[in-house]
Amino acid sequence: MNEHADIDAVLTTYAPLLGRIAASYETDSRLREDLVQDISLAVWRALERFKHESSLKTYVAKIAHNRCVDHVLKEKKHNDRLHNDVEDMDEMPTGNGLNQDTALDVTQAIQRLGITYKQVITMQLEGFSQQEIASVLGINEAAVAKRSSRARLLLEQWLKE
């Protein structure tokens, strides 16, 4: 298999993951599409530096989360506001066996979380272990557990409203 086929396979395999991560950070469908493209380009550029110190999924997710954080900070600075507008959610991917209404409610609640909580929760929803999340975020497992607990409390509160 040639290098381009490998890159295509990685991007095809992880496209749903990248879309869900991007959707948890960006509600505007056009900006979300741009973000997914930016993430895909970053993954493509970073693949040659992949040293197999973690799983490929973890490596790709780390790149995606870093790009999303950069995106949020850039948009916040550019627009001087947070992206909490949830009107353009009709193209939001659903997953984890939830019906579309429930998935929309959960996604909207996740978007309200601060970045540090959002990163942990979105990675947990993707099936990452606390150790993998800690590795991606450069924090210890205890911090992951604490952020997860706090995020879950906030989500439960918001979903009851």
Side-chain angles (χ1 to χ4, degrees):
M1 193 181 294
N2 67 35
E3 181 180 336
H4 293 291
D6 288 343
I7 293 168
D8 289 342
V10 168
L11 291 176
T12 300
T13 299
Y14 294 109
L17 170 71
L18 301 180
R20 288 187 299 269
I21 291 172
S24 70
Y25 286 86
E26 181 56 68
T27 60
D28 182 287
S29 62
R30 289 165 296 186
L31 291 175
R32 189 169 56 244
E33 287 174 19
D34 289 346
L35 180 56
V36 170
Q37 289 299 317
D38 186 40
I39 293 167
S40 298
L41 181 60
V43 168
W44 175 73
R45 287 179 175 158
L47 279 177
E48 67 185 28
R49 294 186 306 273
F50 180 56
K51 296 183 182 4
H52 303 277
E53 294 171 352
S54 64
S55 72
L56 182 58
K57 181 180 177 183
T58 301
Y59 187 72
V60 168
K62 181 176 186 172
I63 294 165
H65 279 284
N66 288 341
R67 284 294 177 184
C68 288
V69 169
D70 290 347
H71 169 78
V72 169
L73 294 174
K74 180 179 138 193
E75 287 298 311
K76 182 178 179 184
K77 184 176 181 181
H78 178 72
N79 297 321
D80 196 34
R81 66 175 172 84
L82 294 173
H83 285 275
N84 286 330
D85 180 24
V86 292
E87 293 176 1
D88 191 19
M89 297 292 292
D90 56 319
E91 298 174 35
M92 204 55 178
T94 61
N96 300 318
L98 302 174
N99 69 43
Q100 187 150 357
D101 288 338
T102 303
L104 182 61
D105 291 342
V106 170
T107 301
Q108 290 173 342
I110 289 171
Q111 289 172 338
R112 291 175 64 184
L113 291 171
I115 287 175
T116 58
Y117 297 149
K118 187 182 302 187
Q119 289 174 314
V120 170
I121 289 297
T122 57
M123 292 188 75
Q124 284 182 332
L125 290 172
E126 292 297 335
F128 288 94
S129 69
Q130 284 191 352
Q131 182 180 8
E132 290 171 320
I133 296 169
S135 173
V136 167
L137 300 179
I139 60 178
N140 62 44
E141 289 183 57
V144 171
K146 191 172 193 175
R147 289 179 186 183
S148 173
S149 176
R150 288 180 179 170
R152 287 175 188 271
L153 288 173
L154 286 169
L155 291 172
E156 286 175 16
Q157 176 186 348
W158 293 335
L159 291 170
K160 287 179 184 177
E161 291 178 352

